[in-house]
Amino acid sequence: NAGVTQTPKFQVLKTGQSMTLQCAQDMNHEYMSWYRQDPGMGLRLIHYSVGAGITDQGEVPNGYNVSRSTTEDFPLRLLSAAPSQTSVYFCASSYSKFNEQFFGPGTRLTVL
Amino acid sequence: AQSVSQHNHHVILSEAASLELGCNYSYGGTVNLFWYVQYPGQHLQLLLKYFSGDPLVKGIKGFEAEFIKSKFSFNLRKPSVQWSDTAEYFCAVNGRSGSARQLTFGSGTQLTVLP
């Protein structure tokens, strides 16, 4: 049981480049979410999904896209990277939005 | 709208000192409450949670928290901290109605325990 996995662990991008952060879980959780963590701001929700085929925006969705084609996978796409997107990104999953969330190890992204 | 406030941004203690980290939330209905811990370089892990019942909840590693509904508070406590408790601690709240927003985190409290 691997829990929540994320790849890559580190990434450096140039402004304007695009990329996809991968997230997978093997706990059969319906609810998955993406957060960004910035110093002094805690975790802020980017996008979330309540099940395959269903996604919605969180608090800071601009510049990011998501899709959920399977229960296991929930990739986060940066469309055109900007320096303001330099952050640590965490994926999480849970049985529902009301339950405790299990977090992945994070991806540290730097946009130059 | 729900929100979480953690008043202490950085707490420095010596080993064996007692710890209390404040957490206040705003939400007009019933809530689920969580404390997560993030050790240096690691992902967030659940310390404890409150859904209902006894307002004094015990978590892992000797931590406990008390839900005081009248004060909208969910403070984290530990009677005697260790150097290994050095980490960042996050309080989080989730309203229980179907229309409630998703899990909302506080800004975090960095705890440094001096040996």
Side-chain angles (χ1 to χ4, degrees):
Chain A
N1 192 335
V4 180
T5 58
Q6 291 183 239
T7 55
K9 292 186 178 179
F10 301 95
Q11 183 70 48
V12 178
L13 294 177
K14 294 181 179 178
T15 297
Q17 288 185 313
S18 62
M19 78 160 297
T20 299
L21 307 184
Q22 302 292 343
C23 174
Q25 53 91 10
D26 61 359
M27 298 174 280
N28 203 31
H29 286 165
E30 291 294 328
Y31 183 85
M32 296 186 73
S33 53
W34 275 102
Y35 295 88
R36 60 178 288 172
Q37 183 181 27
D38 302 291
M41 302 187 75
L43 280 79
R44 293 181 292 167
L45 182 66
I46 304 171
H47 285 284
Y48 65 95
S49 169
V50 298
I54 306 170
T55 64
D56 206 345
Q57 297 180 351
E59 183 183 355
V60 288
N62 292 341
Y64 308 95
N65 267 358
V66 292
S67 60
R68 184 100 177 266
S69 56
T70 66
T71 299
E72 294 78 20
D73 301 298
F74 190 43
L76 178 72
R77 297 181 187 85
L78 278 70
L79 308 173
S80 177
S84 61
Q85 294 178 304
T86 293
S87 187
V88 181
Y89 292 84
F90 288 100
C91 179
S93 74
S94 63
Y95 288 108
S96 78
K97 74 172 184 177
F98 300 114
N99 292 93
E100 68 210 65
Q101 297 198 23
F102 294 84
F103 285 83
T107 295
R108 184 174 293 276
L109 175 69
T110 302
V111 182
L112 303 175
Chain B
Q2 62 193 40
S3 65
V4 181
S5 178
Q6 291 182 244
H7 309 296
N8 311 106
H9 297 295
H10 195 179
V11 173
I12 302 173
L13 296 173
S14 298
E15 275 194 314
S18 64
L19 169 72
E20 181 160 2
L21 301 183
C23 172
N24 288 91
Y25 69 91
S26 68
Y27 183 72
T30 309
V31 293
N32 292 339
L33 296 157
F34 307 86
W35 275 98
Y36 285 86
V37 61
Q38 185 178 29
Y39 297 103
Q42 296 189 26
H43 61 284
L44 275 79
Q45 305 169 43
L46 183 70
L47 263 183
L48 47 80
K49 62 186 179 185
Y50 172 80
F51 286 0
S52 64
D54 188 343
L56 183 63
V57 293
K58 296 190 183 300
I60 61 172
K61 305 188 179 186
F63 286 91
E64 64 178 31
E66 185 175 12
F67 171 50
I68 303 179
K69 189 176 180 180
S70 62
K71 295 184 178 180
F72 298 90
S73 70
F74 190 56
N75 291 354
L76 181 70
R77 301 194 292 245
K78 187 172 184 180
S80 177
V81 295
Q82 300 173 315
W83 177 79
S84 58
D85 293 325
T86 294
E88 190 157 19
Y89 293 80
F90 294 93
C91 182
V93 64
N94 200 336
R96 283 210 233 131
S97 72
S99 62
R101 285 179 56 189
Q102 311 303 313
L103 190 64
T104 301
F105 284 85
S107 56
T109 297
Q110 176 64 49
L111 172 65
T112 301
V113 180
L114 303 174

